Amino acid sequence: MPAAASLRLFGLDYSTHEIGGSLIVHADCFEWMGRIPEASVHAIVTDPPYGVKEYDFDQINKRTNGRGGIWRIPPSFDGHQRAPLPRFTALNDRERATLRRFFVEWARLALRVLRPGGHLFLASNAFLSQFVFSALAEGGLEFRGEIIRLVRTLRGGDRPKNAEEEFPGVSSMPRGRYEPWGLFRRPMPVAMKVSDCLRAHQTGGLRRRSNGLPFEDVIESERTSRAERSLADHPSLKPQSFLRQLVHAALPLGTGIILDPFMGSGSTIAAAAALGLASVGVERNPDYFKMAKEAILPLSQRPVQQEPRLLSSAQHITPSPTAGR
Ligand SMILES: C[S@@+](CC[C@H](N)C(=O)[O-])C[C@H]1O[C@@H](n2cnc3c(N)ncnc32)[C@H](O)[C@@H]1O
């Protein structure tokens, strides 16, 4: 793990806070990613504002006041009050073009800061992933597939609005049962093999699971628990049980730095800390930055089932039973 002093270099002249092997930075990631040294992080694991505007300050105010904007209360189907979700179907053509520009520009910055062969895991949703993923590819990142997080979401499945009784047997969209995460890589230098990339940059591949089996692209997950929500009241908090599997896979040799440039309340940073991995988180909203300062340590201490264990390098190179087939 890099010494705290080398992580501190990522603070530049921003307000920062250190928690164990992690550094968090209060900054706009577009500006920050343009200023840190090139090729300085090994992986990015992040959950961006995938509709771009839902975390704009005016939208967050509208969410707090419960009026207008992109955040809507989903229809109740069991009598319980629901938390607001961003309604992405409300994006118009102009907003979709903005989304594309946002992610193309951001992908170019991700290319700049990632080491060659470094992986990027990026949360999306079933409705917007086609736009977001193609923008990242246009920005120069290599598309390596998707990770499907199987989770019962509260999206979709509703009867046609204002005609529920007329069409009781119809739903406008499927009820969401998965969350797609784009998997990308900064292209390796031409003709470089994964083994050479691992030696030169400690990147290029994905870390196998603790049992020696490969990391898989479908992960059975859960909704974020009440216990974790009570530690970090962020609208998009992701569960530790899922994020720990991603950060474990993101560093193929178990060494290096993971970046979350849209950190929110710091759940990715907490997942990295739980596994003893070094990470840097960036958040521009002062309230969420403060929340992260307080939430990262207790989130990292939450026990989860099937905790990934870091393998020694010797275990790492043991061929799997299916090798060579
Ligand atoms: C979807 S949330 C991530 C939440 C996170 N997964 C968690 O568990 O708390 C996206 C976050 O990115 C932040 N954000 C949006 N634009 C940003 C920017 N340009 N630079 C840094 N943070 C930004 C938002 O304030 C929001 O907290």
Side-chain angles (χ1 to χ4, degrees):
M1 177 183 296
S6 60
L7 269 190
R8 253 174 243 146
L9 297 175
F10 288 95
L12 303 174
D13 46 9
Y14 299 97
S15 164
T16 61
H17 183 72
E18 281 173 45
I19 304 153
S22 324
L23 180 83
I24 63 172
V25 185
H26 180 208
D28 183 305
C29 69
F30 281 79
E31 182 186 295
W32 181 87
M33 290 165 85
R35 292 184 62 199
I36 63 166
E38 283 182 35
S40 53
V41 304
H42 297 69
I44 299 178
V45 177
T46 198
D47 171 22
Y50 28 75
V52 173
K53 70 178 194 176
E54 68 271 26
Y55 281 98
D56 285 353
F57 291 100
D58 64 323
Q59 295 291 331
I60 288 295
N61 283 338
K62 287 179 181 165
R63 179 183 189 276
T64 308
N65 299 332
R67 261 206 305 277
I70 197 170
W71 294 86
R72 311 282 162 84
I73 306 278
S76 166
F77 59 87
D78 55 6
H80 288 103
Q81 178 73 16
R82 300 278 158 209
L85 289 173
R87 188 165 162 263
F88 295 117
T89 43
L91 294 182
N92 60 31
D93 286 349
R94 192 172 47 79
E95 288 164 339
R96 280 171 205 222
T98 305
L99 180 148
R100 183 164 199 88
R101 278 197 301 276
F102 178 98
F103 281 105
V104 171
E105 187 189 340
W106 186 82
R108 293 188 178 129
L109 290 165
L111 269 184
R112 178 182 181 278
V113 303
L114 274 172
R115 288 187 172 207
H119 277 90
L120 160 67
F121 294 74
L122 184 115
S124 188
N125 79 6
F127 197 75
L128 290 179
S129 58
Q130 55 160 328
F131 301 111
V132 174
F133 295 171
S134 62
L136 291 188
E138 189 181 325
L141 289 163
E142 179 190 2
F143 182 62
R144 300 283 292 169
E146 287 181 52
I147 312 301
I148 301 300
R149 173 182 167 218
L150 291 178
V151 57
R152 187 177 284 277
T153 75
L154 293 175
R155 282 180 206 288
D158 310 314
R159 297 192 171 84
K161 202 170 171 192
N162 300 330
E164 292 84 352
E165 287 180 15
E166 190 180 351
F167 300 109
V170 177
S171 49
S172 324
M173 288 176 74
R175 159 74 36 85
R177 288 301 313 273
Y178 74 98
E179 178 179 83
W181 283 62
L183 181 64
F184 293 83
R185 190 168 68 173
R186 174 172 165 182
M188 297 190 297
V190 177
M192 186 180 253
K193 295 187 296 225
V194 170
S195 52
D196 293 331
C197 197
L198 285 165
R199 287 184 202 108
H201 304 291
Q202 300 85 52
T203 57
L206 295 169
R207 192 169 182 81
R208 284 173 176 264
R209 294 185 292 163
S210 322
N211 57 11
L213 293 175
F215 174 74
E216 291 178 348
D217 58 11
V218 177
I219 299 181
E220 289 198 32
S221 186
E222 57 184 346
R223 300 200 27 228
T224 309
S225 69
R226 248 177 233 275
E228 287 177 27
R229 286 189 182 284
S230 72
L231 297 171
D233 184 23
H234 190 288
S236 307
L237 185 69
K238 301 285 179 197
Q240 287 297 297
S241 54
F242 175 71
L243 288 176
R244 289 184 197 175
Q245 296 182 56
L246 296 195
V247 296
H248 182 268
L251 295 181
L253 301 181
T255 58
I257 297 172
I258 294 173
L259 168 65
D260 183 351
F262 298 106
M263 166 182 74
S265 55
S267 53
T268 307
I269 306 304
L275 303 188
L277 302 170
S279 65
V280 179
V282 181
E283 171 61 47
R284 74 170 180 193
N285 182 313
D287 295 336
Y288 296 149
F289 181 74
K290 183 165 175 285
M291 194 184 281
K293 263 187 186 175
E294 285 153 22
I296 288 173
L297 187 60
L299 281 175
S300 73
Q301 292 167 339
R302 292 277 319 151
V304 303
Q305 281 188 334
Q306 295 179 327
E307 189 83 66
R309 240 180 342 107
L310 295 183
L311 298 174
S312 69
S313 342
Q315 283 170 300
H316 174 82
I317 54 172
T318 305
S320 81
T322 51
R325 274 197 204 159

